[in-house]
Amino acid sequence: MEGVIPFFKSQGGGSVDKYRPVAVLSNPAKAFESAIHRAIFYQLRPQLSEAQHRFLPGRSTMSNLVNYMAQLIPAVDEGRQVDTIYFDVRKAFNVVDNDILLKKLANMGCTPHLLQFFSSYMRDRYQYVDYTGFTSEPYSVRSGVVKGVLWDLSNSSL
């Protein structure tokens, strides 16, 4: 079972949405996820678009902005209309259904053994919230991507 600690992320008020949940994993769990990440990243890397700036090593919102500006400036200089839509998906990973995630991984070419591993890793997962010395009752987690090393494909230190 892993603890979740609310971490204050922005200015203003005491609203719940001003906190980011941070899962506290043990050091063995972090090392395990790091090893799994290395084992699968190169298998899944060909499936990721080069336009993915968040999930690739050396990419970030800054590289996305630089890429965008390199395309925008010449278009504007030529008098062309430029329409842009950006979506804020920062909470999207909180609602990922585990079964749908497994289907997506299967479609990306993960082996049956790897899918079985992920299934067992996500099954019967419990968390609790620890805040200023108060601890909630454990609760079952059936959706949401665990926010550890395994799911952060951009972690270039791995």
Side-chain angles (χ1 to χ4, degrees), residues 68-121:
Y68 172 72
M69 293 302 290
Q71 295 176 37
L72 174 75
I73 292 171
V76 170
D77 287 346
E78 294 171 9
R80 292 185 289 158
Q81 177 179 336
V82 177
D83 297 319
T84 304
I85 299 174
Y86 272 84
F87 294 97
D88 182 359
V89 294
R90 70 180 148 212
K91 293 185 181 180
F93 288 103
N94 295 343
V95 294
V96 172
D97 180 271
N98 292 347
D99 295 327
I100 292 172
L101 176 61
L102 289 170
K103 287 177 187 173
K104 296 280 186 183
L105 289 171
N107 290 338
M108 291 181 79
C110 285
T111 65
H113 288 98
L114 190 56
L115 293 171
Q116 178 69 30
F117 164 76
F118 282 131
S119 177
S120 68
Y121 190 71

Side-chain angles (χ1 to χ4, degrees), residues 41 45 48-50 52-59 153-154:
F41 179 75
R45 171 63 181 95
L48 299 175
S49 164
E50 289 299 318
Q52 280 284 356
H53 286 265
R54 172 61 179 97
F55 298 104
L56 295 175
R59 302 277 179 99
L153 296 179
S154 67

